[in-house]
PDB file of all heavy atoms in Angstrom:
ATOM      1  N   GLY Q 537      86.920 162.016 276.819  1.00  0.00           N
ATOM      2  CA  GLY Q 537      87.672 160.820 277.177  1.00  0.00           C
ATOM      3  C   GLY Q 537      86.802 159.790 277.856  1.00  0.00           C
ATOM      4  O   GLY Q 537      85.897 159.203 277.215  1.00  0.00           O
ATOM      5  N   GLU Q 538      87.031 159.566 279.144  1.00  0.00           N
ATOM      6  CA  GLU Q 538      86.294 158.530 279.860  1.00  0.00           C
ATOM      7  C   GLU Q 538      85.190 159.098 280.730  1.00  0.00           C
ATOM      8  O   GLU Q 538      84.484 158.362 281.441  1.00  0.00           O
ATOM      9  CB  GLU Q 538      87.239 157.718 280.712  1.00  0.00           C
ATOM     10  CG  GLU Q 538      88.255 156.927 279.917  1.00  0.00           C
ATOM     11  CD  GLU Q 538      87.659 155.979 278.947  1.00  0.00           C
ATOM     12  OE1 GLU Q 538      86.696 155.264 279.361  1.00  0.00           O
ATOM     13  OE2 GLU Q 538      88.090 155.898 277.787  1.00  0.00           O
ATOM     14  N   LYS Q 539      85.017 160.421 280.736  1.00  0.00           N
ATOM     15  CA  LYS Q 539      84.089 161.046 281.680  1.00  0.00           C
ATOM     16  C   LYS Q 539      83.140 161.979 280.973  1.00  0.00           C
ATOM     17  O   LYS Q 539      83.533 162.775 280.101  1.00  0.00           O
ATOM     18  CB  LYS Q 539      84.887 161.837 282.750  1.00  0.00           C
ATOM     19  CG  LYS Q 539      84.103 162.389 283.890  1.00  0.00           C
ATOM     20  CD  LYS Q 539      85.007 163.058 284.864  1.00  0.00           C
ATOM     21  CE  LYS Q 539      84.225 163.648 286.042  1.00  0.00           C
ATOM     22  NZ  LYS Q 539      85.139 164.380 286.971  1.00  0.00           N
ATOM     23  N   LEU Q 540      81.874 161.926 281.312  1.00  0.00           N
ATOM     24  CA  LEU Q 540      80.841 162.797 280.765  1.00  0.00           C
ATOM     25  C   LEU Q 540      81.207 164.259 281.068  1.00  0.00           C
ATOM     26  O   LEU Q 540      81.552 164.580 282.191  1.00  0.00           O
ATOM     27  CB  LEU Q 540      79.474 162.482 281.389  1.00  0.00           C
ATOM     28  CG  LEU Q 540      78.233 163.123 280.797  1.00  0.00           C
ATOM     29  CD1 LEU Q 540      77.941 162.622 279.402  1.00  0.00           C
ATOM     30  CD2 LEU Q 540      77.023 162.871 281.722  1.00  0.00           C
ATOM     31  N   GLY Q 541      81.088 165.110 280.046  1.00  0.00           N
ATOM     32  CA  GLY Q 541      81.519 166.472 280.245  1.00  0.00           C
ATOM     33  C   GLY Q 541      80.787 167.549 279.408  1.00  0.00           C
ATOM     34  O   GLY Q 541      79.739 167.264 278.822  1.00  0.00           O
ATOM     35  N   PHE Q 542      81.379 168.688 279.361  1.00  0.00           N
ATOM     36  CA  PHE Q 542      80.783 169.886 278.709  1.00  0.00           C
ATOM     37  C   PHE Q 542      80.333 169.617 277.264  1.00  0.00           C
ATOM     38  O   PHE Q 542      79.216 169.904 276.877  1.00  0.00           O
ATOM     39  CB  PHE Q 542      81.891 170.971 278.728  1.00  0.00           C
ATOM     40  CG  PHE Q 542      81.458 172.306 278.172  1.00  0.00           C
ATOM     41  CD1 PHE Q 542      80.729 173.208 278.952  1.00  0.00           C
ATOM     42  CD2 PHE Q 542      81.818 172.669 276.892  1.00  0.00           C
ATOM     43  CE1 PHE Q 542      80.381 174.458 278.470  1.00  0.00           C
ATOM     44  CE2 PHE Q 542      81.451 173.928 276.387  1.00  0.00           C
ATOM     45  CZ  PHE Q 542      80.758 174.820 277.188  1.00  0.00           C
ATOM     46  N   LEU Q 543      81.239 169.070 276.455  1.00  0.00           N
ATOM     47  CA  LEU Q 543      80.961 168.843 275.032  1.00  0.00           C
ATOM     48  C   LEU Q 543      79.861 167.767 274.853  1.00  0.00           C
ATOM     49  O   LEU Q 543      79.044 167.879 273.946  1.00  0.00           O
ATOM     50  CB  LEU Q 543      82.207 168.487 274.261  1.00  0.00           C
ATOM     51  CG  LEU Q 543      82.085 168.423 272.721  1.00  0.00           C
ATOM     52  CD1 LEU Q 543      81.441 169.676 272.181  1.00  0.00           C
ATOM     53  CD2 LEU Q 543      83.458 168.192 272.096  1.00  0.00           C
ATOM     54  N   ASP Q 544      79.840 166.789 275.699  1.00  0.00           N
ATOM     55  CA  ASP Q 544      78.780 165.757 275.626  1.00  0.00           C
ATOM     56  C   ASP Q 544      77.404 166.390 275.815  1.00  0.00           C
ATOM     57  O   ASP Q 544      76.478 166.069 275.079  1.00  0.00           O
ATOM     58  CB  ASP Q 544      78.994 164.669 276.673  1.00  0.00           C
ATOM     59  CG  ASP Q 544      80.301 163.920 276.475  1.00  0.00           C
ATOM     60  OD1 ASP Q 544      80.331 163.066 275.591  1.00  0.00           O
ATOM     61  OD2 ASP Q 544      81.274 164.227 277.206  1.00  0.00           O
ATOM     62  N   LEU Q 545      77.314 167.274 276.786  1.00  0.00           N
ATOM     63  CA  LEU Q 545      76.038 167.942 277.048  1.00  0.00           C
ATOM     64  C   LEU Q 545      75.628 168.832 275.883  1.00  0.00           C
ATOM     65  O   LEU Q 545      74.472 168.892 275.507  1.00  0.00           O
ATOM     66  CB  LEU Q 545      76.076 168.752 278.343  1.00  0.00           C
ATOM     67  CG  LEU Q 545      76.439 167.994 279.613  1.00  0.00           C
ATOM     68  CD1 LEU Q 545      76.255 168.873 280.838  1.00  0.00           C
ATOM     69  CD2 LEU Q 545      75.593 166.713 279.785  1.00  0.00           C
ATOM     70  N   ALA Q 546      76.613 169.476 275.282  1.00  0.00           N
ATOM     71  CA  ALA Q 546      76.360 170.361 274.135  1.00  0.00           C
ATOM     72  C   ALA Q 546      75.855 169.545 272.965  1.00  0.00           C
ATOM     73  O   ALA Q 546      74.944 169.950 272.229  1.00  0.00           O
ATOM     74  CB  ALA Q 546      77.605 171.156 273.746  1.00  0.00           C
ATOM     75  N   VAL Q 547      76.492 168.387 272.717  1.00  0.00           N
ATOM     76  CA  VAL Q 547      76.128 167.574 271.529  1.00  0.00           C
ATOM     77  C   VAL Q 547      74.908 166.680 271.813  1.00  0.00           C
ATOM     78  O   VAL Q 547      74.388 166.033 270.924  1.00  0.00           O
ATOM     79  CB  VAL Q 547      77.368 166.708 271.128  1.00  0.00           C
ATOM     80  CG1 VAL Q 547      77.077 165.823 269.953  1.00  0.00           C
ATOM     81  CG2 VAL Q 547      78.561 167.610 270.779  1.00  0.00           C
ATOM     82  N   GLY Q 548      74.396 166.725 273.041  1.00  0.00           N
ATOM     83  CA  GLY Q 548      73.264 165.916 273.419  1.00  0.00           C
ATOM     84  C   GLY Q 548      71.996 166.161 272.612  1.00  0.00           C
ATOM     85  O   GLY Q 548      71.069 165.358 272.659  1.00  0.00           O
ATOM     86  N   TRP Q 549      71.951 167.247 271.860  1.00  0.00           N
ATOM     87  CA  TRP Q 549      70.798 167.476 270.981  1.00  0.00           C
ATOM     88  C   TRP Q 549      70.630 166.441 269.916  1.00  0.00           C
ATOM     89  O   TRP Q 549      69.522 166.238 269.423  1.00  0.00           O
ATOM     90  CB  TRP Q 549      70.933 168.853 270.337  1.00  0.00           C
ATOM     91  CG  TRP Q 549      71.968 168.937 269.263  1.00  0.00           C
ATOM     92  CD1 TRP Q 549      73.309 169.226 269.467  1.00  0.00           C
ATOM     93  CD2 TRP Q 549      71.836 168.710 267.857  1.00  0.00           C
ATOM     94  NE1 TRP Q 549      74.005 169.188 268.277  1.00  0.00           N
ATOM     95  CE2 TRP Q 549      73.086 168.885 267.287  1.00  0.00           C
ATOM     96  CE3 TRP Q 549      70.726 168.401 267.030  1.00  0.00           C
ATOM     97  CZ2 TRP Q 549      73.303 168.735 265.893  1.00  0.00           C
ATOM     98  CZ3 TRP Q 549      70.957 168.226 265.653  1.00  0.00           C
ATOM     99  CH2 TRP Q 549      72.232 168.412 265.124  1.00  0.00           C
ATOM    100  N   ILE Q 550      71.738 165.735 269.561  1.00  0.00           N
ATOM    101  CA  ILE Q 550      71.644 164.763 268.463  1.00  0.00           C
ATOM    102  C   ILE Q 550      70.720 163.574 268.844  1.00  0.00           C
ATOM    103  O   ILE Q 550      69.749 163.302 268.147  1.00  0.00           O
ATOM    104  CB  ILE Q 550      73.022 164.282 267.985  1.00  0.00           C
ATOM    105  CG1 ILE Q 550      73.821 165.491 267.415  1.00  0.00           C
ATOM    106  CG2 ILE Q 550      72.920 163.155 267.012  1.00  0.00           C
ATOM    107  CD1 ILE Q 550      75.240 165.158 266.977  1.00  0.00           C
ATOM    108  N   PRO Q 551      70.994 162.892 269.959  1.00  0.00           N
ATOM    109  CA  PRO Q 551      70.059 161.823 270.347  1.00  0.00           C
ATOM    110  C   PRO Q 551      68.735 162.365 270.835  1.00  0.00           C
ATOM    111  O   PRO Q 551      67.715 161.667 270.771  1.00  0.00           O
ATOM    112  CB  PRO Q 551      70.783 161.070 271.451  1.00  0.00           C
ATOM    113  CG  PRO Q 551      71.780 162.058 271.996  1.00  0.00           C
ATOM    114  CD  PRO Q 551      72.204 162.900 270.857  1.00  0.00           C
ATOM    115  N   LEU Q 552      68.724 163.591 271.271  1.00  0.00           N
ATOM    116  CA  LEU Q 552      67.500 164.203 271.810  1.00  0.00           C
ATOM    117  C   LEU Q 552      66.515 164.552 270.734  1.00  0.00           C
ATOM    118  O   LEU Q 552      65.319 164.182 270.854  1.00  0.00           O
ATOM    119  CB  LEU Q 552      67.857 165.487 272.622  1.00  0.00           C
ATOM    120  CG  LEU Q 552      66.706 166.314 273.188  1.00  0.00           C
ATOM    121  CD1 LEU Q 552      65.921 165.467 274.219  1.00  0.00           C
ATOM    122  CD2 LEU Q 552      67.212 167.569 273.815  1.00  0.00           C
ATOM    123  N   CYS Q 553      66.930 165.219 269.676  1.00  0.00           N
ATOM    124  CA  CYS Q 553      65.947 165.750 268.741  1.00  0.00           C
ATOM    125  C   CYS Q 553      66.335 165.715 267.269  1.00  0.00           C
ATOM    126  O   CYS Q 553      65.544 166.185 266.432  1.00  0.00           O
ATOM    127  CB  CYS Q 553      65.544 167.143 269.117  1.00  0.00           C
ATOM    128  SG  CYS Q 553      66.907 168.342 269.075  1.00  0.00           S
ATOM    129  N   LEU Q 554      67.496 165.198 266.888  1.00  0.00           N
ATOM    130  CA  LEU Q 554      67.818 165.133 265.458  1.00  0.00           C
ATOM    131  C   LEU Q 554      66.851 164.246 264.700  1.00  0.00           C
ATOM    132  O   LEU Q 554      66.409 164.544 263.581  1.00  0.00           O
ATOM    133  CB  LEU Q 554      69.246 164.656 265.225  1.00  0.00           C
ATOM    134  CG  LEU Q 554      69.704 164.581 263.780  1.00  0.00           C
ATOM    135  CD1 LEU Q 554      69.485 165.914 263.064  1.00  0.00           C
ATOM    136  CD2 LEU Q 554      71.201 164.173 263.697  1.00  0.00           C
ATOM    137  N   GLY Q 555      66.438 163.115 265.355  1.00  0.00           N
ATOM    138  CA  GLY Q 555      65.436 162.265 264.713  1.00  0.00           C
ATOM    139  C   GLY Q 555      64.111 162.967 264.481  1.00  0.00           C
ATOM    140  O   GLY Q 555      63.443 162.728 263.448  1.00  0.00           O
ATOM    141  N   VAL Q 556      63.741 163.854 265.389  1.00  0.00           N
ATOM    142  CA  VAL Q 556      62.518 164.637 265.243  1.00  0.00           C
ATOM    143  C   VAL Q 556      62.650 165.567 264.074  1.00  0.00           C
ATOM    144  O   VAL Q 556      61.767 165.732 263.262  1.00  0.00           O
ATOM    145  CB  VAL Q 556      62.192 165.389 266.564  1.00  0.00           C
ATOM    146  CG1 VAL Q 556      60.962 166.281 266.338  1.00  0.00           C
ATOM    147  CG2 VAL Q 556      61.935 164.434 267.694  1.00  0.00           C
ATOM    148  N   MET Q 557      63.801 166.253 263.961  1.00  0.00           N
ATOM    149  CA  MET Q 557      64.031 167.145 262.854  1.00  0.00           C
ATOM    150  C   MET Q 557      63.971 166.414 261.527  1.00  0.00           C
ATOM    151  O   MET Q 557      63.405 166.901 260.534  1.00  0.00           O
ATOM    152  CB  MET Q 557      65.437 167.798 262.966  1.00  0.00           C
ATOM    153  CG  MET Q 557      65.550 168.859 264.028  1.00  0.00           C
ATOM    154  SD  MET Q 557      67.193 169.678 263.837  1.00  0.00           S
ATOM    155  CE  MET Q 557      67.263 170.594 265.394  1.00  0.00           C
ATOM    156  N   GLU Q 558      64.552 165.191 261.491  1.00  0.00           N
ATOM    157  CA  GLU Q 558      64.506 164.408 260.273  1.00  0.00           C
ATOM    158  C   GLU Q 558      63.078 164.050 259.900  1.00  0.00           C
ATOM    159  O   GLU Q 558      62.738 164.120 258.692  1.00  0.00           O
ATOM    160  CB  GLU Q 558      65.307 163.091 260.487  1.00  0.00           C
ATOM    161  CG  GLU Q 558      66.832 163.312 260.546  1.00  0.00           C
ATOM    162  CD  GLU Q 558      67.597 162.040 260.813  1.00  0.00           C
ATOM    163  OE1 GLU Q 558      67.090 161.177 261.572  1.00  0.00           O
ATOM    164  OE2 GLU Q 558      68.669 161.874 260.245  1.00  0.00           O
ATOM    165  N   GLN Q 559      62.261 163.757 260.875  1.00  0.00           N
ATOM    166  CA  GLN Q 559      60.878 163.436 260.601  1.00  0.00           C
ATOM    167  C   GLN Q 559      60.089 164.646 260.102  1.00  0.00           C
ATOM    168  O   GLN Q 559      59.371 164.544 259.103  1.00  0.00           O
ATOM    169  CB  GLN Q 559      60.221 162.874 261.839  1.00  0.00           C
ATOM    170  CG  GLN Q 559      58.779 162.392 261.633  1.00  0.00           C
ATOM    171  CD  GLN Q 559      58.149 161.841 262.891  1.00  0.00           C
ATOM    172  OE1 GLN Q 559      58.770 161.694 263.950  1.00  0.00           O
ATOM    173  NE2 GLN Q 559      56.862 161.466 262.808  1.00  0.00           N
ATOM    174  N   VAL Q 560      60.271 165.767 260.788  1.00  0.00           N
ATOM    175  CA  VAL Q 560      59.568 166.981 260.374  1.00  0.00           C
ATOM    176  C   VAL Q 560      59.995 167.467 258.985  1.00  0.00           C
ATOM    177  O   VAL Q 560      59.172 167.855 258.169  1.00  0.00           O
ATOM    178  CB  VAL Q 560      59.780 168.098 261.432  1.00  0.00           C
ATOM    179  CG1 VAL Q 560      59.196 169.437 260.955  1.00  0.00           C
ATOM    180  CG2 VAL Q 560      59.138 167.730 262.763  1.00  0.00           C
ATOM    181  N   GLY Q 561      61.327 167.384 258.735  1.00  0.00           N
ATOM    182  CA  GLY Q 561      61.866 167.861 257.498  1.00  0.00           C
ATOM    183  C   GLY Q 561      61.874 166.826 256.385  1.00  0.00           C
ATOM    184  O   GLY Q 561      62.354 167.131 255.271  1.00  0.00           O
ATOM    185  N   GLU Q 562      61.361 165.609 256.676  1.00  0.00           N
ATOM    186  CA  GLU Q 562      61.340 164.521 255.691  1.00  0.00           C
ATOM    187  C   GLU Q 562      62.712 164.352 255.000  1.00  0.00           C
ATOM    188  O   GLU Q 562      62.867 164.503 253.795  1.00  0.00           O
ATOM    189  CB  GLU Q 562      60.256 164.802 254.641  1.00  0.00           C
ATOM    190  CG  GLU Q 562      58.849 164.860 255.218  1.00  0.00           C
ATOM    191  CD  GLU Q 562      57.781 165.143 254.163  1.00  0.00           C
ATOM    192  OE1 GLU Q 562      58.117 165.758 253.161  1.00  0.00           O
ATOM    193  OE2 GLU Q 562      56.614 164.742 254.405  1.00  0.00           O
ATOM    194  N   MET Q 563      63.694 164.063 255.842  1.00  0.00           N
ATOM    195  CA  MET Q 563      65.089 163.937 255.351  1.00  0.00           C
ATOM    196  C   MET Q 563      65.812 162.911 256.173  1.00  0.00           C
ATOM    197  O   MET Q 563      65.313 162.455 257.189  1.00  0.00           O
ATOM    198  CB  MET Q 563      65.777 165.305 255.460  1.00  0.00           C
ATOM    199  CG  MET Q 563      65.884 165.789 256.877  1.00  0.00           C
ATOM    200  SD  MET Q 563      66.675 167.401 257.043  1.00  0.00           S
ATOM    201  CE  MET Q 563      66.700 167.572 258.827  1.00  0.00           C
ATOM    202  N   LYS Q 564      67.035 162.562 255.778  1.00  0.00           N
ATOM    203  CA  LYS Q 564      67.886 161.679 256.560  1.00  0.00           C
ATOM    204  C   LYS Q 564      69.276 162.249 256.594  1.00  0.00           C
ATOM    205  O   LYS Q 564      69.903 162.401 255.578  1.00  0.00           O
ATOM    206  CB  LYS Q 564      67.889 160.268 255.927  1.00  0.00           C
ATOM    207  CG  LYS Q 564      68.598 159.222 256.804  1.00  0.00           C
ATOM    208  CD  LYS Q 564      67.883 159.055 258.129  1.00  0.00           C
ATOM    209  CE  LYS Q 564      68.557 158.004 259.012  1.00  0.00           C
ATOM    210  NZ  LYS Q 564      67.924 157.846 260.339  1.00  0.00           N
ATOM    211  N   LEU Q 565      69.737 162.573 257.807  1.00  0.00           N
ATOM    212  CA  LEU Q 565      71.067 163.123 258.002  1.00  0.00           C
ATOM    213  C   LEU Q 565      72.016 162.119 258.702  1.00  0.00           C
ATOM    214  O   LEU Q 565      73.201 162.133 258.449  1.00  0.00           O
ATOM    215  CB  LEU Q 565      71.021 164.388 258.864  1.00  0.00           C
ATOM    216  CG  LEU Q 565      70.300 165.620 258.304  1.00  0.00           C
ATOM    217  CD1 LEU Q 565      70.362 166.751 259.330  1.00  0.00           C
ATOM    218  CD2 LEU Q 565      70.985 166.078 257.014  1.00  0.00           C
ATOM    219  N   PHE Q 566      71.460 161.331 259.579  1.00  0.00           N
ATOM    220  CA  PHE Q 566      72.267 160.622 260.536  1.00  0.00           C
ATOM    221  C   PHE Q 566      71.983 159.112 260.501  1.00  0.00           C
ATOM    222  O   PHE Q 566      70.831 158.717 260.660  1.00  0.00           O
ATOM    223  CB  PHE Q 566      71.981 161.184 261.910  1.00  0.00           C
ATOM    224  CG  PHE Q 566      72.901 160.679 263.015  1.00  0.00           C
ATOM    225  CD1 PHE Q 566      74.239 160.943 263.002  1.00  0.00           C
ATOM    226  CD2 PHE Q 566      72.372 159.919 264.050  1.00  0.00           C
ATOM    227  CE1 PHE Q 566      75.079 160.490 263.997  1.00  0.00           C
ATOM    228  CE2 PHE Q 566      73.195 159.478 265.055  1.00  0.00           C
ATOM    229  CZ  PHE Q 566      74.554 159.726 265.038  1.00  0.00           C
ATOM    230  N   ASP Q 567      73.020 158.286 260.263  1.00  0.00           N
ATOM    231  CA  ASP Q 567      72.813 156.860 260.349  1.00  0.00           C
ATOM    232  C   ASP Q 567      74.075 156.189 260.850  1.00  0.00           C
ATOM    233  O   ASP Q 567      75.159 156.801 260.822  1.00  0.00           O
ATOM    234  CB  ASP Q 567      72.395 156.248 258.984  1.00  0.00           C
ATOM    235  CG  ASP Q 567      73.407 156.541 257.893  1.00  0.00           C
ATOM    236  OD1 ASP Q 567      74.547 156.036 258.000  1.00  0.00           O
ATOM    237  OD2 ASP Q 567      73.091 157.245 256.933  1.00  0.00           O
ATOM    238  N   ALA Q 568      73.946 154.974 261.309  1.00  0.00           N
ATOM    239  CA  ALA Q 568      75.028 154.260 261.962  1.00  0.00           C
ATOM    240  C   ALA Q 568      76.159 153.919 261.001  1.00  0.00           C
ATOM    241  O   ALA Q 568      77.312 153.850 261.381  1.00  0.00           O
ATOM    242  CB  ALA Q 568      74.515 152.981 262.634  1.00  0.00           C
TER     243      ALA Q 568
END
């Protein structure tokens, strides 16, 4: 909702390292 919580921390891997995975794996999974 309006407050940072459990699921946000769990999903935090996406901005943290999904871009790195895309670079290493030469692929594109995530775009705006």
Side-chain angles (χ1 to χ4, degrees):
E538 297 301 316
K539 188 177 179 183
L540 189 69
F542 183 82
L543 187 52
D544 298 282
L545 302 188
V547 179
W549 70 275
I550 296 178
L552 176 63
C553 62
L554 181 53
V556 175
M557 287 189 193
E558 290 178 322
Q559 184 179 356
V560 172
E562 299 180 333
M563 61 182 185
K564 188 63 179 177
L565 293 179
F566 188 64
D567 59 64

